[in-house]
Amino acid sequence: MELKKDSNAVSIDMLLIVHSEKRRAAHGTHSDRQADPGALPQRRGGLQGVGNGIRRWQKFEGNDVHGNLAEKQHPQTQVITSYDNQGTQLTVEVHPRDAMPQLLKKFSLAKRLQGDKNGNTRPRQPGAKDAHVYPWDRSSLKSMPLDLQEFEKLDTYASQVTVKSGLDELVSDLLQEAHSDLERVRVIWIWICHHIEYDIEAAQEKDRQAFKPTDILRTQKTNCDGYAGLFEKMCRIAGVQCMTVPGYSKGFGYQTGQSFSGEFDHAWNAVYLEGRWHLLDSTWGSGLVDSATSKFTFLYNEFYFLTHPALFIEDHFPDNKNWQLLKPPQSLKQFENNMYHKSEFYNKGMLSAHPETSVIKTVNGKATVTVESCAPTLFMFMLNGKQEHGLLSLRKNGMKLDIYPPTVGTHKLQIFAKGKSDIYSSVLEYTLKCNYVDIGVRLPAELHQPVGPSWFSEQMGIMKPSHPDPIIHTSDGRCSVSFGVEEGISVLASLHGDEGPITEETQRRYIFQTQREKRAELKVQLPQAGKFALKIFVKKRLEPGNYVFVFNYLLCCTNTKVNWPMFPESFGNWGQDNELLEPLSGVLPANRNVPFKLKLHGIAKALVKGQDTWPLTLNQEGYWEGSCNTAGCQEVYVMVLENANHNFYSYILKYKVNAQ
């Protein structure tokens, strides 16, 4: 009620709390015990009234109702508290007219919490209405509908709030822009994830002193217990039901396929929003620990905020199965055996992976992994730390990987995805057990990923390939590959095998490239039987920079009689739209008449130069034809005159002649 309407007016707010006599007596005899985690904190600084209605006044100084220093901006605030014989507590606060009531500020938020018969705020245990169907239905990564864009301003605000004094003031500052329980949880989550560092040393030493909220605010370091405890404490101050959930986790130091027993190694939180429990982990939302250096790095991870329980169970197993929030709940054995999809698996848009177990046994020396994604995604893999011994082909919504371990035994397979960022992140990890090696499936060391054309090659300007499959078999050691090329795109190809010394020049000399009407053709001749990587690169002609790798084919030939020579060497004036019909071999026989037939564009004259010079003539079909004799020469050149008014001929092709 308001007393006056002048500048010195004060307001009186009354908070009526009814306790049983037993509860009131307990307050008097056990005030030094640690408060029940669900109970409202007891006021230690103000005067506690004595029974029989006896009252007295005291200025609201020292510690407030939460044990923190009273706010200095309200020095005139006064509080009176009284008990009567029926267990009724009456608290009256007198404060300046323009100030927020301190008791109302603290207790009005807490009134939403459920209370038991003794006045404790004990959140209800999860039940059937909290449970989500397992396995994941792919509907959302979150356990409730969220539009993260609506949090952008709130997140920016929360991340910039600084600690001024105690925890209560920090929560009060955070709640200035929060207008719902969801927003209250969000600002607390964002602040913790951006300000509290994981304390590796304290975690290893299990130094519980370091996990007290006051110490955490001072050092801004803690471990998972501290993260969870701080989050729960801040939520309770904000008036949101929150619980700390202990359990096992597949976190730092986890080994694929390991079993769990003994002491729990992690803790996280459950929050009660919109009539249902939800899960979050601020420890893992804040950053990560480098396994090599054991150093923590702040790296915000949205995935662990209100995560869908069917996804949360992949790396969090609570001590009480009810906190899985799943129907049906999973057993510890299932948790140990189920495939572990890292958070980046879902952050990068992955939906599923097969096999669904973390340990794979090869069949006839081969294992296959497939991943389904909600959008086209780039992938790569590493087997024992190297990008070898596998064929990874991209699909419109995912990828397929065939892996061939080089030795019998246990191997580590990691799969990475790029998503919308420029960085590949580890999304899957398998343990491969191989009991047989097929030596006939040895792959070239230079076979990079991906193999075969895909949506990515089309995106890079290569379309409608003649060979859509990644593997090309040839019985005579020759093949021709063609594809459409987007205007303004240049194509470069090279051949790589594991047999014999091959220079960068010879890597391209076993390929002869022509281009007609926006379609490129690659004629390939293999130097011997075996497996080869045919790499395809592209670049925009008018832009500076190097060619970019797009994909490669795997060429296979089992014919041991194959021994094709290189194609002739081409020079800069050889246009991509030129066509060579003969001779295709870069090595000509000695003392022979050799026919030549080429299609050349935009030239006035053409000739072949060896020991002598032989002109080529243009026929009705548009081909330059003629022949030359290789007697007495070691090299033969094809030369062209581009302008009839000049006498300068340019070299476009070079052949070698066999020794006599």
Side-chain angles (χ1 to χ4, degrees), residues 10-31:
V10 297
S11 294
I12 299 178
D13 290 280
M14 292 185 290
L15 181 67
L16 184 65
I17 302 175
V18 179
H19 291 308
S20 67
E21 188 71 19
K22 179 179 179 181
R23 177 65 176 169
R24 182 164 62 88
H27 281 176
T29 57
H30 300 290
S31 60

Side-chain angles (χ1 to χ4, degrees), residues 37-38 188 192 226-237 240-245 269:
I188 293 170
I192 290 178
Y227 276 100
L230 178 64
F231 196 95
E232 179 181 349
K233 180 71 173 177
M234 293 176 73
C235 280
R236 288 178 178 273
I237 294 173
V240 178
Q241 293 191 49
C242 180
M243 295 287 286
T244 295
V245 182
N269 294 102

Side-chain angles (χ1 to χ4, degrees), residues 39-73:
L40 288 172
Q42 301 301 306
R43 178 172 60 86
R44 295 194 301 265
L47 176 70
Q48 183 111 359
V50 187
N52 299 320
I54 300 174
R55 301 171 303 200
R56 55 181 173 173
W57 291 89
Q58 179 173 332
K59 287 189 177 181
F60 200 109
E61 296 175 340
N63 293 342
D64 65 8
V65 293
H66 287 288
N68 296 301
L69 293 176
E71 299 185 23
K72 295 180 180 179
Q73 61 266 39

Side-chain angles (χ1 to χ4, degrees), residues 104-124:
L104 185 63
K105 178 179 177 183
K106 302 301 181 184
F107 286 109
S108 62
L109 293 173
K111 70 182 179 181
R112 294 191 301 270
L113 301 181
Q114 295 181 347
D116 62 16
K117 63 182 180 180
N118 294 322
N120 295 325
T121 51
R122 293 192 180 278
R124 72 164 179 82

Side-chain angles (χ1 to χ4, degrees), residues 207-219:
D207 179 7
R208 286 311 197 252
Q209 287 296 112
F211 307 149
K212 291 182 178 179
T214 52
D215 291 331
I216 296 173
L217 289 189
R218 176 177 53 81
T219 65

